[in-house]
Amino acid sequence: MPTDNRLMIALIREIGKALVEKAERLAIAAREPDENVHFQATQTAQNAAVRTAIKMGVFDEVPLRGSSSVSALELSTALKVDEALLGYPNPTDYHHSAFQYAHRTDLGFWEFLNEDPESKMVFDSGMRSSATIGSSAAGAYPFGRELEAVDIDAEDVVVVDVVVVDVGALRGQALEAIKAAYPSLKGRLVLQDTRDVIEEAKAR
């Protein structure tokens, strides 16, 4: 290969690396702190999945272009691997999903946690850490524009006593952040979760 071509390829690679670095810095700056932590925590699993797919030869069997496609069953036959390794089918009900397959259980997710205190502790800890940045919850929806500005005296407005319901709300960190950011919201903010979580929230 001529020297000029090698220099051009090296230059393009350096420019590409610099572009990727700047794009990553922009993404980090644009995400909330908790989103960056989640991104870093899940990146390892994603990398492992991609590396596994490469070693299995998945990408050699997937059509490159056009309207052709290949099913998980066809891939598993060609690669001589368990079909479940290539992606669990969309669940048809609560008790038949990838969760039951991975944990070798017939229990649903919440029932499994109730039977396994250690798993429940890990789950609760992870959920609490994801809710420590309350400002992200308050900024996720234009509560002020959509709710504070409503003229409750208007004839076409139906007034209800509940303004926000947070399902799976844990201790209510998100609701607290919303209330603090929009103190003039009219109506109740409702926390909905399992009984033990509600009791823990009440005990705070």
Side-chain angles (χ1 to χ4, degrees), residues 58-200:
V58 170
F59 299 110
D60 295 329
E61 299 293 335
V62 174
L64 295 178
R65 59 177 65 84
S67 59
S68 59
S69 62
V70 59
S71 68
L73 177 59
E74 291 171 329
L75 274 177
S76 66
T77 301
L79 299 173
K80 297 180 175 58
V81 299
D82 190 330
E83 184 182 357
L85 293 174
L86 301 172
Y88 197 87
N90 288 333
T92 56
D93 61 71
Y94 178 63
H95 291 283
H96 296 86
S97 70
F99 177 82
Q100 281 76 25
Y101 179 85
H103 291 274
R104 302 291 191 269
T105 180
D106 294 325
L107 296 174
F109 178 72
W110 301 110
E111 291 79 8
F112 179 85
L113 290 185
N114 288 335
E115 296 292 328
D116 190 328
E118 184 177 355
S119 294
K120 187 176 188 306
M121 180 186 67
V122 171
F123 175 78
D124 289 345
S125 177
M127 290 298 291
R128 289 191 187 97
S129 65
S130 69
T132 54
I133 310 297
S135 59
S136 61
Y141 179 82
F143 294 98
R145 187 184 71 216
E146 298 296 330
L147 301 176
E148 282 186 327
V150 173
D151 180 7
I152 63 173
D153 296 322
E155 293 182 359
D156 60 341
V157 172
V158 178
V159 180
V160 295
D161 65 338
V162 176
V163 64
V164 176
V165 177
D166 190 354
V167 180
L170 291 171
R171 296 181 179 177
Q173 297 96 322
L175 294 178
E176 290 175 346
I178 293 168
K179 185 63 176 176
Y182 305 98
S184 60
L185 278 180
K186 300 177 178 64
R188 292 187 298 133
L189 279 68
V190 176
L191 184 157
Q192 188 175 57
D193 212 305
T194 56
R195 184 183 300 275
D196 57 333
V197 173
I198 296 294
E199 294 301 323
E200 183 180 349

Side-chain angles (χ1 to χ4, degrees), residues 29-57:
R31 289 192 293 258
E32 294 287 344
D34 55 336
E35 292 175 326
N36 281 316
V37 172
H38 180 268
F39 177 80
Q40 293 296 330
T42 58
Q43 191 63 50
T44 301
Q46 292 173 8
N47 291 345
V50 172
R51 287 180 177 275
T52 300
I54 292 173
K55 287 193 173 184
M56 288 168 58

